[in-house]
């Protein structure tokens, strides 16, 4: 028992020491970065310093890190305080501190123009995004029109009530049905839920479940709505998307 207590105490002491060393390392790193940016600012001057976007980015990131580090010291007196002395506010500060450290990784984007293969890939992706902006606008309009149409046709259908008189309990719990899968939130009672249903049908995610359920609840002719949406979204829009991608990848061919 004494041995376990001794080991536990040693582990706790090592943990505290490592935590303190890590904090000292981060603080030293921030001080070095701040001094480095200050030297560059003094050598170049303010006007030349802000002309380069990389310098502005580094300067803003360094200022954020220093401010957050000082705020953490102010709340916690870290690394000199025990864990029990920390306040809840510092948790948010540490989260912001980690986010800013992750943002530093964006500096790696500067190497893209220097590497030919990466530059080609990046330029192709940018051209693809530019070409897809009008297509995305068309897709939003198509989603909106079919969502509104579906809400007008299938609104206020409660499958928990409407389907029970038509089918017995054994069929109600049959594997693969709308009821057995618990798809009740996927309906046309509001705009957001309608978008989810349209997305499920577009990616052909158990779309036969929706066809069968709404044909039981409304009419077999209800399947025409879902078939029309599948033809427009999964066939027409997807082929337009593929054509745009091929046009960007193989221009003039």
């Amino acid at each position: 028992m004494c041995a376990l207590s001794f080991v536990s105490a040693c582990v706790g002491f090592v943990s505290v020491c490592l935590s303190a060393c890590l904090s000292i390392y981060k603080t030293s790193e921030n001080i070095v970065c701040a001094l480095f940016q200050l030297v560059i600012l003094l050598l170049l001057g303010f006007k030349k310093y802000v002309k380069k976007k990389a310098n502005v980015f580094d300067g803003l990131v360094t200022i954020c890190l220093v401010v957050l580090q000082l705020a953490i010291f102010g709340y916690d007196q870290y690394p000199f305080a025990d864990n029990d002395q920390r306040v809840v506010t510092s948790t948010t500060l540490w989260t912001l501190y980690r986010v800013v450290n992750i943002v530093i990784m964006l500096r790696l984007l500067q190497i893209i123009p220097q590497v030919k293969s990466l530059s080609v890939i990046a330029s192709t992706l940018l051209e693809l995004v530019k070409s897809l902006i009008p297509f995305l606008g068309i897709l939003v309009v198509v989603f909106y029109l079919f969502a509104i149409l579906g809400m007008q046709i299938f609104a206020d259908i409660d499958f928990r009530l409407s389907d029970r008189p038509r089918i017995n309990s054994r069929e109600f719990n049959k594997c693969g049905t709308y009821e057995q899968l618990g798809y009740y939130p996927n309906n046309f009672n509001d705009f957001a839920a309608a978008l989810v249903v349209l997305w499920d049908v577009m990616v052909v995610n158990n779309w036969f479940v929706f066809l069968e359920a709404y044909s039981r609840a409304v009419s077999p002719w209800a399947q025409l709505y879902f078939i029309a949406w599948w033809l427009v979204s999964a066939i027409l829009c997807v082929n337009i998307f593929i054509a745009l991608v091929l046009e960007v990848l193989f221009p003039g061919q």
Side-chain angles (χ1 to χ4, degrees), residues 51-149:
K51 280 184 178 180
K52 194 173 182 181
K53 295 180 179 179
N55 290 336
V56 177
F57 176 81
D58 291 341
L60 292 176
V61 169
T62 303
I63 292 173
C64 291
L65 288 175
V66 172
V67 170
L68 288 172
Q69 187 74 68
L70 293 175
I72 291 171
F73 280 148
Y75 278 110
D76 282 351
Q77 294 82 42
Y78 191 77
F80 307 104
D82 297 331
N83 291 335
D84 297 335
Q85 297 176 350
R86 299 181 184 180
V87 294
V88 178
T89 310
S90 65
T91 303
T92 304
L93 293 175
W94 272 113
T95 302
L96 292 175
Y97 186 87
R98 294 188 182 98
V99 170
V100 175
N101 274 283
I102 294 174
V103 172
I104 297 177
M105 299 298 294
L106 295 177
R107 286 278 289 166
L108 295 175
L109 296 177
Q110 290 186 348
I111 69 174
I112 291 179
Q114 311 301 327
V115 182
K116 186 177 181 181
S117 58
L118 293 178
S119 179
V120 172
I121 295 173
S123 60
T124 303
L125 291 176
L126 290 176
E127 289 297 327
L128 182 60
V129 171
K130 294 178 182 178
S131 301
L132 288 180
I133 290 176
F135 170 75
L136 292 177
I138 296 174
L139 191 61
V140 169
V141 172
V142 172
F143 261 94
Y144 179 83
L145 290 176
F146 271 87
I148 296 298
L149 181 60

Side-chain angles (χ1 to χ4, degrees), residues 8 26 44 58 81 105 113 115 117 120-121 128 134 160 163 172 188 199 211-212 215 237 240 252:
S8 178
K26 289 181 179 179
L44 297 179
D58 291 341
M105 299 298 294
V115 182
S117 58
V120 172
I121 295 173
L128 182 60
R160 294 180 177 86
D163 290 347
F172 186 86
F188 289 92
W199 176 265
L211 269 68
E212 189 271 337
S215 64
C237 292
I240 293 175

Side-chain angles (χ1 to χ4, degrees):
M1 194 67 179
C2 294
L4 291 176
S5 300
F6 176 75
V7 172
S8 178
C10 291
V11 171
F13 176 76
V14 172
S15 177
V16 172
C17 291
L18 290 176
S19 181
C21 292
L22 181 61
S23 178
I24 294 172
Y25 167 76
K26 289 181 179 179
T27 304
S28 303
E29 183 183 20
N30 292 335
I31 294 174
V32 172
C33 290
L35 292 176
F36 181 73
Q37 293 299 317
L38 183 60
V39 170
I40 295 178
L41 179 61
L42 294 175
L43 291 177
L44 297 179
F46 181 77
K47 291 184 178 180
K48 291 184 179 180
Y49 182 86
V50 297
K51 280 184 178 180
K52 194 173 182 181
K53 295 180 179 179
N55 290 336
V56 177
F57 176 81
D58 291 341
L60 292 176
V61 169
T62 303
I63 292 173
C64 291
L65 288 175
V66 172
V67 170
L68 288 172
Q69 187 74 68
L70 293 175
I72 291 171
F73 280 148
Y75 278 110
D76 282 351
Q77 294 82 42
Y78 191 77
F80 307 104
D82 297 331
N83 291 335
D84 297 335
Q85 297 176 350
R86 299 181 184 180
V87 294
V88 178
T89 310
S90 65
T91 303
T92 304
L93 293 175
W94 272 113
T95 302
L96 292 175
Y97 186 87
R98 294 188 182 98
V99 170
V100 175
N101 274 283
I102 294 174
V103 172
I104 297 177
M105 299 298 294
L106 295 177
R107 286 278 289 166
L108 295 175
L109 296 177
Q110 290 186 348
I111 69 174
I112 291 179
Q114 311 301 327
V115 182
K116 186 177 181 181
S117 58
L118 293 178
S119 179
V120 172
I121 295 173
S123 60
T124 303
L125 291 176
L126 290 176
E127 289 297 327
L128 182 60
V129 171
K130 294 178 182 178
S131 301
L132 288 180
I133 290 176
F135 170 75
L136 292 177
I138 296 174
L139 191 61
V140 169
V141 172
V142 172
F143 261 94
Y144 179 83
L145 290 176
F146 271 87
I148 296 298
L149 181 60
M151 292 172 63
Q152 295 297 322
I153 300 174
F154 307 115
D156 300 326
I157 296 178
D158 191 350
F159 288 94
R160 294 180 177 86
L161 302 176
S162 59
D163 290 347
R164 286 183 181 274
R166 305 188 185 188
I167 53 179
N168 55 45
S169 59
R170 182 176 180 180
E171 188 177 355
F172 186 86
N173 296 316
K174 185 179 179 180
C175 181
T177 60
Y178 185 95
E179 295 80 10
Q180 188 272 331
L181 293 173
Y183 278 3
Y184 297 114
N186 297 19
N187 52 57
F188 289 92
N189 294 339
D190 59 77
F191 186 74
L195 292 178
V196 174
V197 175
L198 293 178
W199 176 265
D200 289 337
V201 177
M202 184 182 72
V203 299
V204 200
N205 178 28
N206 286 346
W207 76 312
F208 60 90
V209 174
F210 298 102
L211 269 68
E212 189 271 337
Y214 280 95
S215 64
R216 281 193 285 106
V218 182
S219 167
W221 293 100
Q223 299 184 27
L224 292 178
Y225 168 84
F226 295 97
I227 294 174
W229 166 248
W230 178 78
L231 290 173
V232 171
S233 60
I235 302 299
L236 181 61
C237 292
V238 169
N239 279 281
I240 293 175
F241 172 78
I242 295 174
L244 290 173
V245 173
L246 294 177
E247 179 66 22
V248 173
L249 294 178
F250 308 102
Q253 296 184 9

